Amino acid sequence: MTCLKKEIALPSRAGVGSLDFNAYDIMAPRKPGATPAAAKNGARVKQNNVPPEGVYLPNNNRLAPHMRSPDYVQMSTAAAITLGVMPGKMHRCSCTRCLNLLLSYPEGCRANCAYCGLARHREADRDYADRNFIRVDWPAVPMDQIVEIVAEQGEATPFHRMCISMITHPRSDEDTVTVLRRWTSRIDPATVPVSILSNPTTMTRGDVQQLRDLGADIFTVALDAATPEIFDRTRGKGVASPHSWAKYWEILEDARDIFGREKFGAHIIVGMGETEHDTLTLVQRLVNMGGHSHMFCFFPEKGSLMDHLPATPRDQWRRVQLARYLIDYRGVRVEHMRFDEQGRVSDFGLPKSEMDKIIDEGVAFRTSGCPGKVREDISACDRPYGDSPPSNIASYPFQPVAVDIRKIRHQLGMEKPGEAYVEGEELEV
Ligand code: SF4
């Protein structure tokens, strides 16, 4: 088993119409189709009612068992390999530092986000436990088994952080609390701090407070879309999904008040039709509030409502990834940067010598997320190949080395004289 999968949508150098960015007009999702009654709300799984037997690996020629949180949770392939409940290896990574858990129900997520492999409209095609999030499969594991393994590892655990992802489900608020209690009853949150990837649609300020009181360390909100229009088109009314921009901001502001500086953040996907200026203005707004942004590169997940659209061209992604790092960790402000008439970054606001140092250090191009135990700007959550194929990495789940930096500079159009990138050379590392 491996975290790599057959590639169906390789990112191009340029987007549709030879643009080097994904423009709003072309990034429209398909409309979701109707789901037959026999497949709705996890009906197949509940009718088969196959009892679970320990770890369930997706797509393993077995009927999906009837598993429910809080007794079962799903986890990323990288986390399952690192925990030791699944064999496998990851391209150029030894393991992940974040134990990403996902609440799990036969009914699956009741939202319909256009870019997401877990979206409700997919229930006609695949049972919930066989759907992947973006690119990566999520095995299901008994919660007690997870706690037992990590508690036994103690200080020696490879995990620097645990994260509970709440999907949109009527039980997710209550079950998140139970999963958190089960964890903290055996594992000191000072040894492995806990992040919450929230589901604002069903939450109140009181829920946010309760999670903080029970020992959660960081609270994040997956805004995903950078503007209200794109939010509505990809996660709201545009795709018959229940989310609203206003509710997400309400809970994000509650998190700022309750969790405090550096302890809250928002996810943003780059390349769904926003301009680079839109995204970086949002990044600055989050920094002004005292939080951070965690960034993802749009990938057209097969079976999603955006699977016909182009992955984010790499130069758009690199510009935004680099500019976001400068705003989040190097004190540059969006007002110091310059943008062209299409909202693309044309000047990052720092002298060339400083830019060279930051680019060559490579941290700006690593996966962004909640910190681990290495340094504040290195995420524990490295999500190997969760937003790109390994042949054309968007978020590096490892420290980029010289050959990777040559490729990144090539993508940015900032190659150093005498250090040209040779296509494919990084694959020989
Ligand atoms: S709420 Fe999250 S898990 Fe559910 S469809 Fe949207 S992005 Fe996917």
Side-chain angles (χ1 to χ4, degrees), residues 215-242:
D217 175 53
I218 292 180
F219 187 97
T220 62
V221 168
L223 273 178
D224 292 353
T227 68
E229 295 74 26
I230 296 172
F231 187 102
D232 205 47
R233 175 159 94 165
T234 58
R235 335 191 51 189
K237 289 190 219 68
V239 284
S241 191

PDB file of all heavy atoms in Angstrom, residues 215-242:
ATOM      1  N   GLY A 215      -9.431  21.213  26.443  1.00  0.00           N
ATOM      2  CA  GLY A 215      -8.000  21.042  26.188  1.00  0.00           C
ATOM      3  C   GLY A 215      -7.558  21.160  24.747  1.00  0.00           C
ATOM      4  O   GLY A 215      -6.377  20.935  24.452  1.00  0.00           O
ATOM      5  N   ALA A 216      -8.476  21.512  23.824  1.00  0.00           N
ATOM      6  CA  ALA A 216      -8.020  21.714  22.441  1.00  0.00           C
ATOM      7  C   ALA A 216      -7.069  22.913  22.402  1.00  0.00           C
ATOM      8  O   ALA A 216      -7.243  23.885  23.140  1.00  0.00           O
ATOM      9  CB  ALA A 216      -9.210  21.942  21.514  1.00  0.00           C
ATOM     10  N   ASP A 217      -6.078  22.839  21.530  1.00  0.00           N
ATOM     11  CA  ASP A 217      -5.011  23.849  21.494  1.00  0.00           C
ATOM     12  C   ASP A 217      -5.241  24.876  20.385  1.00  0.00           C
ATOM     13  O   ASP A 217      -5.056  26.068  20.588  1.00  0.00           O
ATOM     14  CB  ASP A 217      -3.680  23.108  21.257  1.00  0.00           C
ATOM     15  CG  ASP A 217      -2.500  24.035  21.073  1.00  0.00           C
ATOM     16  OD1 ASP A 217      -2.302  24.900  21.955  1.00  0.00           O
ATOM     17  OD2 ASP A 217      -1.782  23.914  20.062  1.00  0.00           O
ATOM     18  N   ILE A 218      -5.618  24.405  19.210  1.00  0.00           N
ATOM     19  CA  ILE A 218      -5.813  25.293  18.052  1.00  0.00           C
ATOM     20  C   ILE A 218      -7.152  24.964  17.405  1.00  0.00           C
ATOM     21  O   ILE A 218      -7.551  23.795  17.334  1.00  0.00           O
ATOM     22  CB  ILE A 218      -4.665  25.129  17.019  1.00  0.00           C
ATOM     23  CG1 ILE A 218      -3.350  25.673  17.611  1.00  0.00           C
ATOM     24  CG2 ILE A 218      -4.981  25.847  15.701  1.00  0.00           C
ATOM     25  CD1 ILE A 218      -2.149  25.572  16.673  1.00  0.00           C
ATOM     26  N   PHE A 219      -7.837  26.005  16.941  1.00  0.00           N
ATOM     27  CA  PHE A 219      -9.148  25.839  16.313  1.00  0.00           C
ATOM     28  C   PHE A 219      -9.074  26.420  14.909  1.00  0.00           C
ATOM     29  O   PHE A 219      -8.684  27.574  14.733  1.00  0.00           O
ATOM     30  CB  PHE A 219     -10.184  26.597  17.137  1.00  0.00           C
ATOM     31  CG  PHE A 219     -11.608  26.378  16.715  1.00  0.00           C
ATOM     32  CD1 PHE A 219     -12.417  25.448  17.370  1.00  0.00           C
ATOM     33  CD2 PHE A 219     -12.161  27.112  15.663  1.00  0.00           C
ATOM     34  CE1 PHE A 219     -13.738  25.260  16.994  1.00  0.00           C
ATOM     35  CE2 PHE A 219     -13.482  26.917  15.284  1.00  0.00           C
ATOM     36  CZ  PHE A 219     -14.266  25.990  15.953  1.00  0.00           C
ATOM     37  N   THR A 220      -9.430  25.627  13.911  1.00  0.00           N
ATOM     38  CA  THR A 220      -9.375  26.141  12.547  1.00  0.00           C
ATOM     39  C   THR A 220     -10.730  26.018  11.851  1.00  0.00           C
ATOM     40  O   THR A 220     -11.560  25.173  12.200  1.00  0.00           O
ATOM     41  CB  THR A 220      -8.313  25.411  11.688  1.00  0.00           C
ATOM     42  OG1 THR A 220      -8.667  24.040  11.589  1.00  0.00           O
ATOM     43  CG2 THR A 220      -6.931  25.545  12.269  1.00  0.00           C
ATOM     44  N   VAL A 221     -10.911  26.890  10.891  1.00  0.00           N
ATOM     45  CA  VAL A 221     -12.147  26.948  10.113  1.00  0.00           C
ATOM     46  C   VAL A 221     -11.753  26.789   8.648  1.00  0.00           C
ATOM     47  O   VAL A 221     -10.909  27.530   8.153  1.00  0.00           O
ATOM     48  CB  VAL A 221     -12.846  28.310  10.342  1.00  0.00           C
ATOM     49  CG1 VAL A 221     -13.964  28.531   9.342  1.00  0.00           C
ATOM     50  CG2 VAL A 221     -13.382  28.400  11.766  1.00  0.00           C
ATOM     51  N   ALA A 222     -12.352  25.821   7.983  1.00  0.00           N
ATOM     52  CA  ALA A 222     -12.022  25.613   6.563  1.00  0.00           C
ATOM     53  C   ALA A 222     -12.891  26.538   5.719  1.00  0.00           C
ATOM     54  O   ALA A 222     -13.933  26.143   5.203  1.00  0.00           O
ATOM     55  CB  ALA A 222     -12.247  24.160   6.177  1.00  0.00           C
ATOM     56  N   LEU A 223     -12.457  27.796   5.617  1.00  0.00           N
ATOM     57  CA  LEU A 223     -13.176  28.710   4.716  1.00  0.00           C
ATOM     58  C   LEU A 223     -13.096  28.166   3.292  1.00  0.00           C
ATOM     59  O   LEU A 223     -14.020  28.231   2.524  1.00  0.00           O
ATOM     60  CB  LEU A 223     -12.496  30.073   4.710  1.00  0.00           C
ATOM     61  CG  LEU A 223     -12.870  31.096   5.754  1.00  0.00           C
ATOM     62  CD1 LEU A 223     -12.019  32.340   5.553  1.00  0.00           C
ATOM     63  CD2 LEU A 223     -14.342  31.460   5.675  1.00  0.00           C
ATOM     64  N   ASP A 224     -11.921  27.673   2.945  1.00  0.00           N
ATOM     65  CA  ASP A 224     -11.611  27.096   1.624  1.00  0.00           C
ATOM     66  C   ASP A 224     -11.717  28.112   0.494  1.00  0.00           C
ATOM     67  O   ASP A 224     -10.770  28.303  -0.260  1.00  0.00           O
ATOM     68  CB  ASP A 224     -12.463  25.853   1.317  1.00  0.00           C
ATOM     69  CG  ASP A 224     -12.094  24.674   2.224  1.00  0.00           C
ATOM     70  OD1 ASP A 224     -11.102  24.793   2.968  1.00  0.00           O
ATOM     71  OD2 ASP A 224     -12.805  23.652   2.215  1.00  0.00           O
ATOM     72  N   ALA A 225     -12.870  28.762   0.367  1.00  0.00           N
ATOM     73  CA  ALA A 225     -13.016  29.758  -0.695  1.00  0.00           C
ATOM     74  C   ALA A 225     -12.495  31.107  -0.200  1.00  0.00           C
ATOM     75  O   ALA A 225     -12.677  31.464   0.962  1.00  0.00           O
ATOM     76  CB  ALA A 225     -14.477  29.877  -1.087  1.00  0.00           C
ATOM     77  N   ALA A 226     -11.884  31.868  -1.112  1.00  0.00           N
ATOM     78  CA  ALA A 226     -11.269  33.139  -0.706  1.00  0.00           C
ATOM     79  C   ALA A 226     -12.231  34.320  -0.769  1.00  0.00           C
ATOM     80  O   ALA A 226     -11.933  35.371  -0.222  1.00  0.00           O
ATOM     81  CB  ALA A 226     -10.041  33.425  -1.574  1.00  0.00           C
ATOM     82  N   THR A 227     -13.354  34.145  -1.449  1.00  0.00           N
ATOM     83  CA  THR A 227     -14.321  35.262  -1.533  1.00  0.00           C
ATOM     84  C   THR A 227     -15.731  34.714  -1.261  1.00  0.00           C
ATOM     85  O   THR A 227     -15.991  33.515  -1.468  1.00  0.00           O
ATOM     86  CB  THR A 227     -14.341  35.906  -2.943  1.00  0.00           C
ATOM     87  OG1 THR A 227     -14.900  34.961  -3.868  1.00  0.00           O
ATOM     88  CG2 THR A 227     -12.950  36.320  -3.402  1.00  0.00           C
ATOM     89  N   PRO A 228     -16.665  35.599  -0.845  1.00  0.00           N
ATOM     90  CA  PRO A 228     -18.040  35.122  -0.591  1.00  0.00           C
ATOM     91  C   PRO A 228     -18.682  34.517  -1.831  1.00  0.00           C
ATOM     92  O   PRO A 228     -19.433  33.545  -1.730  1.00  0.00           O
ATOM     93  CB  PRO A 228     -18.789  36.376  -0.137  1.00  0.00           C
ATOM     94  CG  PRO A 228     -17.792  37.457   0.030  1.00  0.00           C
ATOM     95  CD  PRO A 228     -16.469  37.011  -0.513  1.00  0.00           C
ATOM     96  N   GLU A 229     -18.383  35.070  -3.014  1.00  0.00           N
ATOM     97  CA  GLU A 229     -19.007  34.547  -4.251  1.00  0.00           C
ATOM     98  C   GLU A 229     -18.538  33.120  -4.517  1.00  0.00           C
ATOM     99  O   GLU A 229     -19.342  32.241  -4.867  1.00  0.00           O
ATOM    100  CB  GLU A 229     -18.635  35.402  -5.466  1.00  0.00           C
ATOM    101  CG  GLU A 229     -19.154  36.824  -5.447  1.00  0.00           C
ATOM    102  CD  GLU A 229     -18.392  37.730  -4.471  1.00  0.00           C
ATOM    103  OE1 GLU A 229     -17.202  37.443  -4.176  1.00  0.00           O
ATOM    104  OE2 GLU A 229     -18.995  38.703  -3.974  1.00  0.00           O
ATOM    105  N   ILE A 230     -17.243  32.892  -4.357  1.00  0.00           N
ATOM    106  CA  ILE A 230     -16.721  31.544  -4.633  1.00  0.00           C
ATOM    107  C   ILE A 230     -17.188  30.575  -3.546  1.00  0.00           C
ATOM    108  O   ILE A 230     -17.501  29.418  -3.826  1.00  0.00           O
ATOM    109  CB  ILE A 230     -15.180  31.579  -4.760  1.00  0.00           C
ATOM    110  CG1 ILE A 230     -14.806  32.429  -5.979  1.00  0.00           C
ATOM    111  CG2 ILE A 230     -14.606  30.170  -4.896  1.00  0.00           C
ATOM    112  CD1 ILE A 230     -13.323  32.701  -6.116  1.00  0.00           C
ATOM    113  N   PHE A 231     -17.292  31.071  -2.326  1.00  0.00           N
ATOM    114  CA  PHE A 231     -17.805  30.235  -1.243  1.00  0.00           C
ATOM    115  C   PHE A 231     -19.225  29.764  -1.603  1.00  0.00           C
ATOM    116  O   PHE A 231     -19.532  28.569  -1.549  1.00  0.00           O
ATOM    117  CB  PHE A 231     -17.822  31.037   0.067  1.00  0.00           C
ATOM    118  CG  PHE A 231     -18.176  30.232   1.284  1.00  0.00           C
ATOM    119  CD1 PHE A 231     -17.186  29.804   2.155  1.00  0.00           C
ATOM    120  CD2 PHE A 231     -19.499  29.884   1.563  1.00  0.00           C
ATOM    121  CE1 PHE A 231     -17.503  29.050   3.280  1.00  0.00           C
ATOM    122  CE2 PHE A 231     -19.822  29.135   2.674  1.00  0.00           C
ATOM    123  CZ  PHE A 231     -18.826  28.714   3.540  1.00  0.00           C
ATOM    124  N   ASP A 232     -20.070  30.703  -1.988  1.00  0.00           N
ATOM    125  CA  ASP A 232     -21.459  30.354  -2.276  1.00  0.00           C
ATOM    126  C   ASP A 232     -21.562  29.414  -3.476  1.00  0.00           C
ATOM    127  O   ASP A 232     -22.370  28.488  -3.497  1.00  0.00           O
ATOM    128  CB  ASP A 232     -22.262  31.638  -2.533  1.00  0.00           C
ATOM    129  CG  ASP A 232     -23.720  31.430  -2.237  1.00  0.00           C
ATOM    130  OD1 ASP A 232     -24.028  30.865  -1.179  1.00  0.00           O
ATOM    131  OD2 ASP A 232     -24.558  31.800  -3.088  1.00  0.00           O
ATOM    132  N   ARG A 233     -20.694  29.641  -4.460  1.00  0.00           N
ATOM    133  CA  ARG A 233     -20.741  28.826  -5.679  1.00  0.00           C
ATOM    134  C   ARG A 233     -20.231  27.406  -5.441  1.00  0.00           C
ATOM    135  O   ARG A 233     -20.709  26.465  -6.070  1.00  0.00           O
ATOM    136  CB  ARG A 233     -19.888  29.518  -6.753  1.00  0.00           C
ATOM    137  CG  ARG A 233     -19.722  28.763  -8.020  1.00  0.00           C
ATOM    138  CD  ARG A 233     -19.328  29.658  -9.173  1.00  0.00           C
ATOM    139  NE  ARG A 233     -17.894  29.702  -9.363  1.00  0.00           N
ATOM    140  CZ  ARG A 233     -17.298  30.171 -10.469  1.00  0.00           C
ATOM    141  NH1 ARG A 233     -18.015  30.639 -11.464  1.00  0.00           N
ATOM    142  NH2 ARG A 233     -16.001  30.188 -10.572  1.00  0.00           N
ATOM    143  N   THR A 234     -19.268  27.235  -4.535  1.00  0.00           N
ATOM    144  CA  THR A 234     -18.656  25.915  -4.352  1.00  0.00           C
ATOM    145  C   THR A 234     -19.124  25.182  -3.090  1.00  0.00           C
ATOM    146  O   THR A 234     -18.966  23.957  -3.012  1.00  0.00           O
ATOM    147  CB  THR A 234     -17.115  26.016  -4.275  1.00  0.00           C
ATOM    148  OG1 THR A 234     -16.759  26.875  -3.198  1.00  0.00           O
ATOM    149  CG2 THR A 234     -16.523  26.535  -5.574  1.00  0.00           C
ATOM    150  N   ARG A 235     -19.681  25.900  -2.102  1.00  0.00           N
ATOM    151  CA  ARG A 235     -20.019  25.226  -0.846  1.00  0.00           C
ATOM    152  C   ARG A 235     -21.380  25.621  -0.305  1.00  0.00           C
ATOM    153  O   ARG A 235     -21.792  25.146   0.770  1.00  0.00           O
ATOM    154  CB  ARG A 235     -19.040  25.552   0.277  1.00  0.00           C
ATOM    155  CG  ARG A 235     -17.688  25.959  -0.081  1.00  0.00           C
ATOM    156  CD  ARG A 235     -16.792  25.982   1.133  1.00  0.00           C
ATOM    157  NE  ARG A 235     -16.878  24.747   1.865  1.00  0.00           N
ATOM    158  CZ  ARG A 235     -16.336  24.547   3.049  1.00  0.00           C
ATOM    159  NH1 ARG A 235     -15.671  25.502   3.638  1.00  0.00           N
ATOM    160  NH2 ARG A 235     -16.467  23.385   3.654  1.00  0.00           N
ATOM    161  N   GLY A 236     -22.044  26.548  -1.009  1.00  0.00           N
ATOM    162  CA  GLY A 236     -23.328  27.039  -0.520  1.00  0.00           C
ATOM    163  C   GLY A 236     -24.438  26.711  -1.498  1.00  0.00           C
ATOM    164  O   GLY A 236     -24.494  25.608  -2.066  1.00  0.00           O
ATOM    165  N   LYS A 237     -25.282  27.701  -1.711  1.00  0.00           N
ATOM    166  CA  LYS A 237     -26.473  27.474  -2.543  1.00  0.00           C
ATOM    167  C   LYS A 237     -26.139  26.949  -3.938  1.00  0.00           C
ATOM    168  O   LYS A 237     -26.917  26.185  -4.511  1.00  0.00           O
ATOM    169  CB  LYS A 237     -27.239  28.793  -2.681  1.00  0.00           C
ATOM    170  CG  LYS A 237     -27.934  29.233  -1.409  1.00  0.00           C
ATOM    171  CD  LYS A 237     -28.860  30.405  -1.718  1.00  0.00           C
ATOM    172  CE  LYS A 237     -28.878  31.461  -0.641  1.00  0.00           C
ATOM    173  NZ  LYS A 237     -27.645  32.239  -0.461  1.00  0.00           N
ATOM    174  N   GLY A 238     -24.990  27.354  -4.484  1.00  0.00           N
ATOM    175  CA  GLY A 238     -24.613  26.954  -5.850  1.00  0.00           C
ATOM    176  C   GLY A 238     -24.588  25.460  -6.058  1.00  0.00           C
ATOM    177  O   GLY A 238     -24.750  24.975  -7.180  1.00  0.00           O
ATOM    178  N   VAL A 239     -24.348  24.693  -4.984  1.00  0.00           N
ATOM    179  CA  VAL A 239     -24.268  23.224  -5.121  1.00  0.00           C
ATOM    180  C   VAL A 239     -25.176  22.519  -4.099  1.00  0.00           C
ATOM    181  O   VAL A 239     -24.897  21.399  -3.673  1.00  0.00           O
ATOM    182  CB  VAL A 239     -22.802  22.725  -4.985  1.00  0.00           C
ATOM    183  CG1 VAL A 239     -22.007  23.009  -6.240  1.00  0.00           C
ATOM    184  CG2 VAL A 239     -22.114  23.312  -3.758  1.00  0.00           C
ATOM    185  N   ALA A 240     -26.247  23.197  -3.714  1.00  0.00           N
ATOM    186  CA  ALA A 240     -27.205  22.624  -2.756  1.00  0.00           C
ATOM    187  C   ALA A 240     -26.496  22.154  -1.483  1.00  0.00           C
ATOM    188  O   ALA A 240     -26.701  21.034  -1.012  1.00  0.00           O
ATOM    189  CB  ALA A 240     -27.984  21.478  -3.409  1.00  0.00           C
ATOM    190  N   SER A 241     -25.665  23.022  -0.948  1.00  0.00           N
ATOM    191  CA  SER A 241     -24.887  22.713   0.250  1.00  0.00           C
ATOM    192  C   SER A 241     -25.248  23.726   1.338  1.00  0.00           C
ATOM    193  O   SER A 241     -25.612  24.862   1.025  1.00  0.00           O
ATOM    194  CB  SER A 241     -23.394  22.783  -0.113  1.00  0.00           C
ATOM    195  OG  SER A 241     -22.595  22.259   0.904  1.00  0.00           O
ATOM    196  N   PRO A 242     -25.161  23.346   2.614  1.00  0.00           N
ATOM    197  CA  PRO A 242     -25.753  24.195   3.657  1.00  0.00           C
ATOM    198  C   PRO A 242     -24.876  25.325   4.187  1.00  0.00           C
ATOM    199  O   PRO A 242     -25.301  26.080   5.052  1.00  0.00           O
ATOM    200  CB  PRO A 242     -25.997  23.184   4.788  1.00  0.00           C
ATOM    201  CG  PRO A 242     -24.910  22.167   4.620  1.00  0.00           C
ATOM    202  CD  PRO A 242     -24.679  22.065   3.143  1.00  0.00           C
TER     203      PRO A 242
END
